[in-house]
Amino acid sequence: MTQTRKQPPDPGVVSRLDTAEAVLDEIGCRSEPDSLYLCTINEIIRAAKVLDLPRRLRLILAQPKNELTMHFPVPMDDGTYRLYTGIRVQHNNVLGPYKGGIRFHRTVSIDHIRALAALMTVKCALVRLPFGGAKGGVIVDPTTLSEDEVMRLTRRFTSALGSNIGPDYDIPAPDVGTNCQIMAWMADTYANLNEPDRRLGGQGVVTGKPLVFGGSHGREKATGQGVVYVLEQLLPQLGLDVHSLTFSVLGFGNVGSWTAKLLCQHGAKCKAVLDHTGAVRRDTGIDAKALAKHVAKHGGVAGFAGADAVTPDDVYTCPVDVFIPAALEQMITPELARRMDCRVVAEAANTPVTPAAEQHLLEKGIQVLPAILCNAGGVTVSYFEWKQNRQAETWGPRLVDRRLKAHMVAAAHRVKDIAKQHSCDLRTAAYCAALDHIAEVYRIRGIFP
Ligand code: NAD
């Protein structure tokens, strides 16, 4: 009987792993064709190709280190119980403790959280913070719960996380649907459950806390402030000036409202805003501060008297210099990209533009400033907060701003320089700047054992 032996794979082909599909296939990780995780790993592999990174790093970065799924009951105000699902994904910690937000939203899924955790790894590396990447969330619409119910849900989720978080290991922060009050409940629960950290107050376990309980000056506005610093660095080369530009915003929560308020303070004009409650437009300029007050009181932009109520399409098609998506992921589809009338898209939210939409925008000559650069201000001031907690210090608002600006300016120049060096788009350049740093640290540390 003739035996056929399987030929050993061609080492040239095996070592390439040039696509996200090939890498995920190799590690046996299944992902839907258009999933956010696949898109994120695609960006990482695209940059790995530009840098010619070794095969082992492509495999390591395509796979989160740890994934935790927890199911837990929470008592409701009416005496009934509801079962919730919480997730924490720890993507990579070669640069330092895991770091990343906690999201309370009905669309939370393992695919999304994995993608957002991987984004945190590259974001922290790009701005040179000593943190790795993580993300977590609970599948819940917090707007349907009372404050007490949100508190019990938060405390129960924190206890389920147990020692999988900690000031030296994994440090959560706020994200969509969570805020400084929720961070305070997380820190308090953690401190009560963990004896050694209780003596230190346990504050360093989360960032984005209220100022009176170990928070940092400037954390609330940090992400918006970071967007503004990036625009100041990158717009002049595109012939635009932050002091005189026009812009519109998708999403008017923490990031969208602070970006808009700070840009208006610089003299820029906000022409249109869209959120989950409605859309408003005023071509002579919307008072962003007044709109933020309205949103705080009414929960959204709908009903704002200082602008005309319009359709979402009137916001997307409104001619502006800069369009700022600051809501959720993958909201800018090719269909919307075709209708948008702007010169620059500044990604204040995490990956708000789909890869196909980005292609359309680039073909129309619209520059896309990538999220891992634009919105890195939040995690940067989180790092400052963590540092202040560890050193029992309080930095003044000016010091925080000065240090934030230094990180953002350096990161923006890093991206600009790499884009020039490799003749690539800004997104690929940002990922290259991050991966180059991660690769160097892996080279120095080696891989255990
Ligand atoms: P937020 O909850 O404060 O605000 C979210 C906004 O999105 C709200 O205005 C909401 O109305 C809007 N929105 C939600 N669904 C929408 C829909 N279908 N159509 C239109 N608008 C919709 O959240 P945030 O903290 O401002 O975060 C926004 C984005 O920025 C997220 O992608 C988040 O991951 C990212 N981000 C936040 C921070 C931070 O410090 N908060 C830091 C980095 C990145």
Side-chain angles (χ1 to χ4, degrees):
M1 197 167 81
T2 334
Q3 283 198 336
T4 49
R5 289 186 68 191
K6 210 175 160 193
Q7 290 298 316
D10 174 350
V13 174
V14 170
S15 64
R16 287 181 69 92
L17 291 182
D18 274 353
T19 64
E21 284 88 351
V23 178
L24 293 179
D25 213 35
E26 172 93 6
I27 56 180
C29 176
R30 298 200 187 290
S31 213
E32 294 298 315
D34 282 328
S35 79
L36 188 60
Y37 191 60
L38 185 67
C39 296
T40 308
I41 299 306
N42 228 342
E43 297 302 341
I44 290 178
I45 298 302
R46 192 199 308 268
K49 251 170 85 179
V50 173
L51 297 173
D52 199 21
L53 289 191
R55 172 189 161 76
R56 63 178 178 281
L57 282 192
R58 300 179 193 206
L59 291 171
I60 288 172
L61 293 172
Q63 186 158 244
K65 281 201 159 184
N66 306 309
E67 299 185 348
L68 227 80
T69 301
M70 296 141 282
H71 305 287
F72 50 90
V74 177
M76 298 289 108
D77 290 345
D78 64 3
T80 61
Y81 286 80
R82 274 196 215 150
L83 198 71
Y84 288 95
T85 299
I87 300 170
R88 185 73 176 165
V89 173
Q90 296 164 335
H91 177 258
N92 188 280
N93 64 348
V94 73
L95 299 183
Y98 298 107
K99 183 92 191 79
I102 298 286
R103 178 173 295 196
F104 285 179
H105 200 268
R106 62 191 160 71
T107 62
V108 162
S109 70
I110 184 74
D111 180 84
H112 253 65
I113 297 294
R114 271 187 195 139
L116 294 166
L119 279 176
M120 284 305 293
T121 299
V122 277
K123 195 183 297 182
C124 291
L126 170 61
V127 273
R128 303 296 191 256
L129 304 179
F131 286 140
K135 199 82 178 187
V138 177
I139 306 168
V140 59
D141 178 354
T143 61
T144 61
L145 301 183
S146 72
E147 197 185 21
D148 276 356
E149 287 168 341
V150 173
M151 182 186 72
R152 288 195 290 272
L153 176 109
T154 304
R155 289 193 184 280
R156 190 63 205 246
F157 176 51
T158 309
S159 87
L161 283 166
S163 58
N164 291 294
I165 55 172
D168 294 316
Y169 183 63
D170 183 357
I171 307 132
D175 189 68
V176 176
T178 55
N179 54 28
C180 61
Q181 174 60 75
I182 289 174
M183 292 305 112
W185 289 327
M186 281 192 82
D188 182 68
T189 308
Y190 178 86
N192 275 286
L193 294 178
N194 292 275
E195 273 303 317
D197 291 311
R198 193 174 172 176
R199 288 195 290 272
L200 297 170
Q203 291 174 346
V205 66
V206 291
T207 58
K209 300 178 293 291
L211 202 51
V212 292
F213 179 45
S216 175
H217 281 290
R219 176 60 186 90
E220 205 199 320
K221 68 162 185 165
T223 308
Q225 183 68 73
V227 175
V228 175
Y229 288 144
V230 169
L231 291 176
E232 279 176 343
Q233 296 308 308
L234 298 185
L235 289 187
Q237 69 185 31
L238 304 169
L240 293 171
D241 179 355
V242 168
H243 304 280
S244 58
L245 60 83
T246 57
F247 66 98
S248 48
V249 191
L250 165 61
F252 212 71
N254 172 289
V255 179
S257 65
W258 274 106
T259 305
K261 282 190 286 186
L262 293 166
L263 282 174
C264 288
Q265 266 175 30
H266 278 70
K269 195 191 286 175
C270 178
K271 286 175 72 175
V273 178
L274 164 66
D275 76 357
H276 73 288
T277 66
V280 291
R281 178 167 164 178
R282 186 167 179 251
D283 286 2
T284 51
I286 294 173
D287 179 343
K289 225 168 151 181
L291 181 57
K293 270 195 191 146
H294 174 88
V295 170
K297 195 165 169 199
H298 302 282
V301 302
F304 178 57
D308 297 326
V310 291
T311 65
D313 208 49
D314 291 323
V315 175
Y316 290 115
T317 55
C318 177
V320 284
D321 296 317
V322 182
F323 183 88
I324 304 170
L328 299 178
E329 296 77 31
Q330 307 281 279
M331 288 188 72
I332 308 296
T333 58
E335 167 60 18
L336 290 176
R338 264 187 227 110
R339 298 212 297 282
M340 281 163 62
D341 187 357
C342 59
R343 292 178 59 192
V344 173
V345 171
E347 290 189 329
N350 281 312
T351 59
V353 178
T354 70
E358 179 164 20
Q359 196 55 40
H360 281 291
L361 294 172
L362 294 177
E363 279 164 17
K364 281 169 71 173
I366 299 173
Q367 281 281 350
V368 181
L369 311 185
I372 62 164
L373 172 63
C374 282
N375 70 26
V379 69
T380 303
V381 176
S382 272
Y383 164 57
F384 298 161
E385 178 176 332
W386 178 76
K387 237 177 121 142
Q388 290 170 75
N389 291 162
R390 295 178 79 89
Q391 294 163 353
E393 278 184 9
T394 304
W395 301 355
R398 280 207 200 128
L399 179 60
V400 171
D401 264 357
R402 205 169 60 237
R403 292 189 172 169
L404 171 62
K405 187 170 184 177
H407 273 273
M408 299 308 293
V409 169
H413 283 276
R414 218 168 272 140
V415 173
K416 219 158 76 170
D417 292 348
I418 291 189
K420 207 165 157 192
Q421 187 190 339
H422 292 290
S423 306
C424 61
D425 59 276
L426 293 172
R427 190 186 304 281
T428 307
Y431 279 72
C432 284
L435 291 200
D436 195 36
H437 183 55
I438 292 173
E440 177 64 2
V441 175
Y442 265 113
R443 195 185 64 74
I444 304 265
R445 284 184 65 162
I447 292 176
F448 179 81

